[in-house]
Amino acid sequence: YIPPLIWGKSGHIQTALYGKMGRVRSPHPYGLRKYLTMPDGATATFDLFEPQSEHCIGEDVTMVICPGIANHSEKQYIRTFVDYAQKNGYRCAVLNHLGALPNIELTSPRMFTYGCTWEFGAMVNYIKKTYPQTQLVVVGFSLGGNIVCKYLGESQANQERVLCCVSVCQGYSALRAQETFMQWDQCRRFYNFLMADNMKKIILSHR
């Protein structure tokens, strides 16, 4: 791999460019939004995308996807991933983290947290019941990686019909990461400020 000149050799520039500009002509896959009422009254939502071609082995395979912190199915990296998966014969179900979508109001006094697997589990159960023949590929990005790994480890029943789990850029220890993000080295504290500010905006939007 040879990184592109200027932006390709700096992780900070890559993060800023992709976070603010995204991809050129980012795809817009079409999906159906599903609503699930949780036992405590919370309304979980996920988007369901059907495959656009036959899978290479002719099987029914569904990717159950958990985005990163404060993210949802409308983020550009999720749309790009889903579009690629659809074209390769995968059905995709993408969780929208509780409280992350600006046009979906909270119906209980809580939002997503670092370790709550309830909404992801509800989405997976819906897929299993609706598509009894499908096999599952579990995918989590960043915070989503923590959630999917925790979900699979909570009960052996959660692993039924799961072909594999893919955890992308997962942070393994929230406590150690917290210490790291308080350091100024590599501008880490600046990223800590940005993430905290984003979380504050989400919380205040639901007050």
Side-chain angles (χ1 to χ4, degrees):
Y1 171 70
I2 301 175
L5 294 175
I6 305 176
W7 66 268
K9 295 186 176 182
S10 169
H12 299 302
I13 297 178
Q14 287 184 39
T15 301
L17 281 177
Y18 197 84
K20 292 298 181 183
M21 297 175 59
R23 295 174 62 94
V24 178
R25 295 185 298 275
S26 181
H28 289 268
Y30 174 76
L32 295 176
R33 183 152 295 165
K34 303 292 183 178
Y35 297 80
L36 302 174
T37 302
M38 306 299 293
D40 67 342
T43 302
T45 68
F46 70 93
D47 285 22
L48 187 62
F49 304 86
E50 292 296 335
Q52 295 180 353
S53 63
E54 185 177 348
H55 194 273
C56 62
I57 60 173
E59 298 288 341
D60 186 315
V61 184
T62 302
M63 285 190 177
V64 282
I65 303 165
C66 191
I69 187 169
N71 288 175
H72 44 74
S73 63
E74 297 175 9
K75 292 293 183 178
Q76 292 191 5
Y77 75 97
I78 295 294
R79 293 187 346 225
T80 303
F81 181 79
V82 167
D83 180 71
Y84 184 80
Q86 282 183 294
K87 290 176 179 176
N88 283 273
Y90 292 92
R91 179 185 299 106
C92 294
V94 182
L95 180 69
N96 299 310
H97 284 300
L98 201 62
L101 280 170
N103 58 335
I104 303 293
E105 293 186 2
L106 294 177
T107 56
S108 71
R110 69 177 179 91
M111 55 182 283
F112 73 92
T113 64
Y114 202 86
C116 181
T117 61
W118 300 345
E119 288 78 48
F120 184 77
M123 179 181 76
V124 172
N125 289 337
Y126 177 94
I127 295 298
K128 286 182 176 179
K129 291 178 181 177
T130 307
Y131 305 96
Q133 303 301 320
T134 195
Q135 300 292 312
L136 302 178
V137 173
V138 180
V139 182
F141 293 90
S142 190
L143 164 79
N146 291 82
I147 291 177
V148 300
C149 289
K150 182 172 184 284
Y151 168 77
L152 292 175
E154 287 175 339
S155 168
Q156 192 167 352
N158 292 348
Q159 302 171 23
E160 293 176 0
R161 293 162 56 185
V162 173
L163 298 175
C164 67
C165 174
V166 184
S167 174
V168 184
C169 297
Q170 177 184 343
Y172 290 98
S173 171
L175 294 178
R176 289 188 63 183
Q178 184 181 20
E179 297 172 6
T180 302
F181 273 123
M182 292 304 291
Q183 302 169 5
W184 282 109
D185 184 45
Q186 298 293 318
C187 299
R188 291 169 182 156
R189 197 158 186 165
F190 177 68
Y191 286 103
N192 189 37
F193 168 80
L194 291 178
M195 289 190 295
D197 188 60
N198 189 39
M199 290 296 295
K200 285 167 62 179
K201 288 178 181 176
I202 292 176
I203 294 171
L204 292 173
S205 71
H206 292 288
R207 62 182 172 180

